[in-house]
Amino acid sequence: MLQSIAIRCRLAAVVRHHTVRQARTRHNLCSYATASQLDVQRQNIFLCRHFSQSLDQSDTSQYKRGGAESYKLALEALQNAANAKQSLEEQLLREQYEAMERQRQKTSQRKNSNQLKDKDPRLQRLNAIDAVDNGERNIKDRAAGVAVVRTIVKQTRQSSQPNNNVKVEKWDSKTVRDDDAHDSNNTQSVGKKLDEDYYQKEALQFLEEAALRYGHALALVRLGNEALELAKKSSVSAEESLINTDKCADWIDESPINLSQILAQSSKTIDNDTEGDESISPYISLAHLLYEEAGKAGSAEAWYNLGHLLWDRSGDDEETIMKAMEAFHKAVDLGDSDAMYFVGAQYLSQQEDDEAGYQLLVRAAHEYNHGPALHHLALLSLQGEDKDEFCGLLTKAAEAGNPDSLFLQGYCFYHGEDGYEVDMKAALDNFLAAAENFEHVEAMVSAGAILHQGVISPQGSVIIERDQRRAFELYQQAGELGSTEGWRNVVACYAMGEGVKKDIDMAKHIAKTMLKDTDR
């Protein structure tokens, strides 16, 4: 049976930062607010995409570009890399699906052949032998694994669309602008089908120039983020080194930043020199320097990221914690609403300075319309049993695009709780907004559950039309993002033929593959 709507009445709503700023790469901090205490917990830094491989040794420009132009070219190359990756992924998905379909056809043909043999008693012995062989083949068929399961349901969903050119998987590039096109005058790209690796190398080349030659603040931040990405690797070859020290050495005299210090630290990344502290990657130290230079150039993002870099590895070291908070406060001074929210939530959770913390939340919420800050204040109002203020703040947070606020407001509309009247259409709209715009998995399952059954008024009129095909799509998307409830409902849809063609074998296969560790 399908699970009932997968939402729980909870004051513990995840406060996540989903604001995507164009041409800006941030680290995310997830914190949790509960009814008993608004405890802000640290989580791992969320890193941006990795620029792979080394730079082209040649200088592609015949004139001196400025930092802004070089940075724009880096963004354009990143968009081209994203497009190339998407094209390759779509091709691989099609090939996987076609291979699986061929295998399914062969399996069906063997079953038909076995049914003919069953009618001839003279072939019973051969049937027994074939049964053993077929059992082994079936095991191999089922060994396709999680990737193939996801491919099948994706292609099943895609084949139902009127436009066969619909993308198999939406490409969500949060680190590049999609309004930039690659320079059509770039003779290197004429007549060649360039791959993702080429464009990422090109992006890194332009990014390096913007950051290290011209001291472009946003480029320095991105380069720092890439240094942290490399720090996650157990080892990095010289070819993968982030900075071409030989080339960049020619810019020392003209660069407005302390390039000598950065190049010296970059050399340590090649030698894997941890300066006696094996717990600190040389790439982390490199990121630290890059963020500091960007911060000096007036980047609030740099101070915010540096604060998280220090906070993440501070442990119980009071000195490092103080340095992290100093970086956050510098971001606050530059008007960074994320830093305001983080510092304010920390003050409240530690009960160090409740009034200062509350005022920072208020400033982020009301001066900058910061969704997570509005959500946090809404939960505080609910703790104080001020439902009118709770509704007002939660509505503002939802309108600001905070996914957890959209989900929580949808729940309130669904149940008619905490100052909201029952409104099933509004509940569905909220769930779909959180699901489609922010990949909120609980909202996906919840919206799917509403659409799967539809909604009928007590008088018998249709409030929400049943749409089992859309419900299946939402369950499948939630499953791909890690939702057990999503996969369980996908299995139920296949088993009952609701929203998708009935396929008991597929239901069993997905259940065995995706739910084997959850269902007992």
Side-chain angles (χ1 to χ4, degrees):
M1 295 296 295
L2 285 173
Q3 298 296 315
S4 60
I5 190 163
I7 48 183
R8 295 178 297 275
C9 182
R10 57 176 189 169
L11 293 177
V14 182
V15 182
R16 292 179 296 204
H17 169 217
H18 286 272
T19 303
V20 180
R21 305 182 183 184
Q22 286 192 346
R24 174 177 182 177
T25 303
R26 303 295 303 264
H27 296 313
N28 267 341
L29 181 87
C30 296
S31 57
Y32 298 84
T34 66
S36 60
Q37 59 178 4
L38 293 170
D39 181 22
V40 180
Q41 301 179 355
R42 295 178 310 215
Q43 295 197 359
N44 292 333
I45 294 175
F46 181 77
L47 301 175
C48 66
R49 283 165 41 82
H50 165 57
F51 299 118
S52 63
Q53 307 303 324
S54 60
L55 300 177
D56 188 342
Q57 297 293 326
S58 62
D59 186 358
T60 60
S61 64
Q62 299 299 320
Y63 63 95
K64 184 175 180 179
R65 285 185 291 266
E69 183 178 357
S70 296
Y71 185 63
K72 181 180 179 181
L73 290 172
L75 295 178
E76 293 171 354
L78 276 174
Q79 183 61 59
N80 287 328
N83 294 338
K85 180 178 181 179
Q86 178 184 346
S87 177
L88 178 61
E89 286 179 345
E90 291 176 353
Q91 177 184 346
L92 293 175
L93 285 173
R94 285 192 297 269
E95 292 174 354
Q96 286 180 327
Y97 177 65
E98 291 167 359
M100 191 65 179
E101 282 298 299
R102 288 194 297 269
Q103 186 61 47
R104 285 164 62 82
Q105 291 174 5
K106 290 180 181 179
T107 301
S108 178
Q109 291 172 357
R110 287 198 297 270
K111 289 181 178 179
N112 293 335
S113 177
N114 288 339
Q115 290 175 357
L116 293 175
K117 291 178 182 180
D118 289 340
K119 298 179 181 179
D120 190 343
R122 295 173 298 177
L123 298 178
Q124 289 182 353
R125 183 179 178 184
L126 291 177
N127 288 350
I129 295 174
D130 285 345
V132 174
D133 292 341
N134 286 336
E136 293 176 353
R137 292 191 187 101
N138 287 336
I139 292 174
K140 293 179 180 179
D141 291 344
R142 294 298 187 263
V146 172
V148 175
V149 168
R150 291 175 174 171
T151 300
I152 292 170
V153 289
K154 282 179 181 177
Q155 294 291 353
T156 300
R157 185 174 77 241
Q158 183 187 24
S159 63
S160 69
Q161 302 292 339
N163 181 5
N164 291 329
N165 293 323
V166 174
K167 296 176 182 178
V168 174
E169 182 176 9
K170 180 180 178 182
W171 176 253
D172 181 19
S173 180
K174 294 183 174 61
T175 63
V176 298
R177 295 186 321 196
D178 54 15
D179 59 341
D180 290 330
H182 190 263
D183 186 359
S184 59
N185 296 322
N186 186 351
T187 57
Q188 289 179 297
S189 63
V190 176
K192 289 181 63 180
K193 184 178 180 180
L194 303 177
D195 59 12
E196 179 190 8
D197 183 65
Y198 169 84
Y199 286 120
Q200 288 191 350
K201 289 179 181 179
E202 183 182 57
L204 182 56
Q205 179 178 352
F206 290 131
L207 189 69
E208 185 180 66
E209 182 178 50
L212 304 182
R213 187 175 187 179
Y214 302 114
H216 190 278
L218 292 179
L220 284 162
V221 172
R222 283 182 179 270
L223 208 58
N225 293 340
E226 294 310 313
L228 289 183
E229 184 70 15
L230 288 175
K232 297 194 300 184
K233 290 190 173 184
S234 58
S235 62
V236 179
S237 65
E239 290 74 18
E240 293 179 292
S241 177
L242 184 63
I243 296 175
N244 185 331
T245 54
D246 292 336
K247 178 181 177 180
C248 295
D250 294 336
W251 301 336
I252 290 178
D253 292 337
E254 63 177 304
S255 176
I257 65 175
N258 189 347
L259 184 54
S260 297
Q261 185 181 18
I262 289 174
L263 295 182
Q265 182 59 41
S266 179
S267 298
K268 295 178 182 179
T269 64
I270 298 175
D271 299 333
N272 198 30
D273 184 358
T274 60
E275 298 181 333
D277 188 350
E278 297 181 357
S279 65
I280 301 178
S281 164
Y283 277 107
I284 290 180
S285 299
L286 177 60
H288 189 139
L289 293 176
L290 291 166
Y291 288 149
E292 278 191 335
E293 291 293 343
K296 293 174 184 177
S299 170
E301 296 89 339
W303 292 123
Y304 180 83
N305 284 3
L306 179 58
H308 274 300
L309 173 64
L310 294 167
W311 186 269
D312 187 63
R313 60 188 180 91
S314 62
D316 296 326
D317 183 26
E318 292 295 332
E319 183 178 355
T320 305
I321 292 174
M322 289 182 62
K323 290 180 178 179
M325 293 302 288
E326 287 175 4
F328 283 125
H329 277 287
K330 288 181 179 179
V332 169
D333 293 340
L334 291 171
D336 191 282
S337 59
D338 297 325
M340 294 174 196
Y341 171 63
F342 175 82
V343 175
Q346 284 298 323
Y347 282 161
L348 289 174
S349 67
Q350 301 297 327
Q351 297 182 344
E352 294 178 356
D353 193 337
D354 288 352
E355 181 59 28
Y358 182 77
Q359 290 303 321
L360 282 171
L361 289 185
V362 169
R363 183 183 173 193
H366 297 301
E367 291 186 23
Y368 297 92
N369 201 37
H370 190 271
L374 286 163
H375 187 88
H376 203 121
L377 291 174
L379 295 178
L380 287 173
S381 298
L382 189 60
Q383 280 185 257
E385 299 184 356
D386 189 339
K387 292 185 177 180
D388 290 338
E389 185 177 13
F390 167 74
C391 291
L393 289 167
L394 187 63
T395 298
K396 288 182 179 180
E399 291 173 349
N402 186 54
D404 293 300
S405 301
L406 287 165
F407 176 75
L408 181 57
Q409 190 178 52
Y411 173 86
C412 292
F413 277 128
Y414 185 86
H415 288 282
E417 294 182 357
D418 297 326
Y420 287 88
E421 298 292 334
V422 172
D423 188 334
M424 302 304 290
K425 288 185 178 179
L428 178 60
D429 289 343
N430 276 68
F431 291 143
L432 288 176
E436 294 172 350
N437 297 322
F438 302 103
E439 296 187 339
H440 193 291
V441 294
E442 289 180 305
M444 289 176 184
V445 177
S446 300
I450 293 176
L451 290 170
H452 193 106
Q453 301 296 338
V455 179
I456 307 295
S457 72
Q459 293 75 30
S461 61
V462 176
I463 298 176
I464 296 175
E465 292 281 354
R466 179 180 295 181
D467 188 348
Q468 294 182 340
R469 162 55 61 176
R470 181 71 180 114
F472 170 80
E473 293 173 356
L474 288 163
Y475 296 149
Q476 184 262 328
Q477 291 171 350
E480 288 176 359
L481 292 171
S483 170
T484 299
E485 289 299 319
W487 282 123
R488 187 175 286 115
N489 288 353
V490 167
V491 169
C493 287
Y494 272 115
M496 295 184 289
E498 295 180 347
V500 68
K501 184 178 179 181
K502 186 173 182 178
D503 191 333
I504 299 298
D505 289 339
M506 180 59 64
K508 292 179 179 178
H509 178 40
I510 296 176
K512 182 178 180 181
T513 305
M514 311 304 296
L515 303 174
K516 61 182 179 179
D517 296 329
T518 59
D519 291 338
R520 299 297 180 185

